[in-house]
Amino acid sequence: AQSSMQVGDMIAFMQYAMQIVFSFLMLAMMFIILPRASVSGDRIANVLGTEPSIKDPPTPKHFPEPFRGTVEFRNVSFRYPDAEEDVLHNISFTAQTGQTTALIGTTGSGKSTIASLIPRFFDVTGGSIYVNGTDIREVTQHDLRDRIGFVPQKGMLFSGTIESNLLYGDENASDEELQLATEIAQATEFISTKPEGMQAEVAQGGMNISGGQKQRLSIARALVKKAPIYIFDDSFSALDFKTDAALRKAIREHTVASTMIIITQRIATIRNAEQIIVLDDGKIVGKGSHEELMKACEVYRGIALSQLSREELA
């Protein structure tokens, strides 16, 4: 009986000791977690309290109907906040409905900056941008961006399924519309290799798929939107030339009424564009077709010859 009492006392003591250890651990965790939580809370509050620099007009206009996706830059200059110099200087061109306008130039020439100005991710510091004949600062950001299918350099995918990612383009899109978008984007083949098909899981940021597959899904998502204006900001860079060519051919066939703006460093991607804008150090140094620029623009000719032979360019 005495032995049983000793065992019972020992068990009780061990339970008591474990409670004390657990209490100390919880207290230590609180001292670690609470300061971190406080700092995180302050950061969230700062973000939520930040005044947006891009604002809607007090009395916004509406785009005239029928809507045409013409995009016009009129003497546009741009300087990033707190920068000392402009990165774009007196940019003027018009991207017409039903045509492809391509922008090409060396790294840092201002191509992606131009792409960011059209949906008003930034506002111009000089000149104006007109969409469908209306200054984009005179309409709401929602109304403007609702007309644009934008595919950035690094397509962002979200955790979920392939289908749920495509539905960000249009949550009411039918299965047939999703299928067509993946076919145009040349994504059907790799989707069909997955047992779950459209229900295949996508990790946050698309970490479980390749760069080319990520770009194709990002393009498909934009196509689901059926936008009158498409902006592809170096969105074909991870694709092989065969897939690139097939994708561009399919896009042209299925988006004949849309304005296409393609930013790239590949001559092969844009040589058939109706209009090519050549940028150098934030300025337009050439404008025309591939054939015209090969004759008249030294910068374009230099880029072209660094990528393709004269026979390939002929």
Side-chain angles (χ1 to χ4, degrees), residues 86-98:
D86 289 348
V87 294
L88 294 177
H89 310 271
N90 197 35
I91 302 296
S92 295
F93 69 89
T94 301
Q96 299 287 358
T97 302

Side-chain angles (χ1 to χ4, degrees), residues 93-219:
F93 69 89
T94 301
Q96 299 287 358
T97 302
Q99 295 186 2
T100 297
T101 294
L103 292 101
I104 194 168
T106 55
T107 301
S109 59
K111 305 183 299 295
S112 292
T113 302
I114 287 177
S116 298
L117 292 176
I118 299 171
R120 285 193 73 197
F121 296 152
F122 299 97
D123 267 340
V124 300
T125 50
S128 303
I129 301 174
Y130 291 82
V131 167
N132 196 32
T134 302
D135 190 320
I136 61 174
R137 292 168 293 191
E138 296 180 344
V139 299
T140 65
Q141 296 168 68
H142 179 272
D143 195 10
L144 171 65
R145 294 169 185 171
D146 194 46
R147 315 294 179 115
I148 298 172
F150 186 89
V151 185
Q153 289 175 308
K154 295 182 179 179
M156 177 56 69
L157 299 180
F158 309 99
S159 58
T161 64
I162 290 176
E163 180 184 70
S164 67
N165 271 273
L166 297 181
L167 288 173
Y168 275 102
D170 179 2
E171 61 183 11
N172 297 314
S174 65
D175 292 343
E176 291 75 18
E177 289 170 328
L178 297 182
Q179 181 66 30
L180 178 60
T182 58
E183 289 175 2
I184 297 171
Q186 310 301 300
T188 305
E189 183 177 349
F190 84 81
I191 293 174
S192 64
T193 62
K194 298 180 178 295
E196 307 91 342
M198 285 282 200
Q199 301 307 316
E201 288 294 322
V202 176
Q204 182 66 36
M207 296 297 292
N208 60 334
I209 58 177
S210 71
Q213 292 170 350
K214 190 186 301 184
Q215 282 193 338
R216 279 176 276 174
L217 288 180
S218 299
I219 292 168

Side-chain angles (χ1 to χ4, degrees), residues 267-282:
I267 290 290
T269 299
I270 52 128
R271 62 184 297 174
N272 294 319
E274 284 82 1
Q275 177 178 223
I276 301 172
I277 311 293
V278 186
L279 294 168
D280 186 39
D281 197 23

Side-chain angles (χ1 to χ4, degrees), residues 103-107 111 234 263-267 303 307:
L103 292 101
I104 194 168
T106 55
T107 301
K111 305 183 299 295
D234 207 13
I263 290 88
T264 186
Q265 295 187 52
R266 277 186 184 178
I267 290 290
I303 295 172
Q307 298 179 17

